[in-house]
């Protein structure tokens, strides 16, 4: 079992930045592809970003390309989501997740473990 705990959410003004962290424990972190998802009020959960086991390839949904960066530190068992130029439409609960899969399949792959989520609110 892998446990995931997100942190770093909060309230920020439009145009500002936040960095989310997701700490993993209980498994071999480097064997999992990692992803970030978000769910806004009244909307379905959506894919935001993902990266491979080694972090050599990253994938983003179009709406965050050029603004968000996903990265991982396998020595610290942590994945990050740097969010810049935030917009009000980025407001959501953000979840990290771990998948046994890797590569571009991470965009639509099933994820095996999920964190509890962290709230990001962007005020305009």
């Amino acid at each position: 079992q892998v446990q995931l705990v997100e942190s770093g959410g909060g309230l920020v003004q439009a145009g500002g930045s936040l960095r989310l962290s997701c700490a993993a424990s209980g498994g071999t972190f480097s064997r999992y592809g990692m992803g970030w998802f978000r769910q806004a009020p009244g909307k379905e959960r959506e894919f935001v970003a993902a990266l491979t086991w080694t972090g050599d390839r990253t994938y983003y949904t179009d709406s965050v390309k050029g603004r968000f960066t996903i990265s991982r530190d396998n020595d610290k068992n942590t994945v990050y989501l740097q969010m810049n130029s935030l917009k009000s439409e980025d407001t959501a609960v953000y979840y990290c997740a771990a998948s046994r899969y890797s590569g571009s399949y991470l965009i639509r792959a099933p994820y095996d473990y999920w964190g509890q989520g962290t709230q990001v609110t962007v005020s305009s």
Side-chain angles (χ1 to χ4, degrees):
Q1 282 281 25
V2 175
Q3 291 80 44
L4 301 172
V5 179
E6 302 97 335
S7 62
L11 174 64
V12 63
Q13 288 188 334
S17 298
L18 281 175
R19 187 175 83 154
L20 305 183
S21 299
C22 174
S25 61
T28 305
F29 179 70
S30 61
R31 293 183 180 178
Y32 289 92
M34 297 298 296
W36 284 97
F37 294 77
R38 65 187 179 187
Q39 186 167 20
K43 295 187 177 181
E44 293 186 353
R45 186 172 61 197
E46 65 171 348
F47 169 83
V48 176
L51 80 173
T52 54
W53 301 335
T54 58
D56 61 334
R57 294 188 178 182
T58 57
Y59 309 93
Y60 300 92
T61 191
D62 286 346
S63 63
V64 307
K65 285 180 180 177
R67 300 189 298 122
F68 290 12
T69 303
I70 187 173
S71 61
R72 68 190 295 162
D73 185 336
N74 285 345
D75 291 334
K76 296 182 178 179
N77 289 353
T78 302
V79 62
Y80 305 97
L81 185 68
Q82 178 67 44
M83 306 186 294
N84 298 328
S85 302
L86 283 161
K87 305 175 181 180
S88 57
E89 51 263 44
D90 295 318
T91 294
V93 177
Y94 283 71
Y95 300 88
C96 74
S99 175
R100 74 191 75 176
Y101 299 98
S102 194
S104 59
Y105 185 49
L106 285 169
I107 296 172
R108 61 188 187 281
Y111 282 72
D112 302 282
Y113 304 101
W114 293 83
Q116 83 290 348
T118 186
Q119 176 70 48
V120 172
T121 303
V122 183
S123 63
S124 57

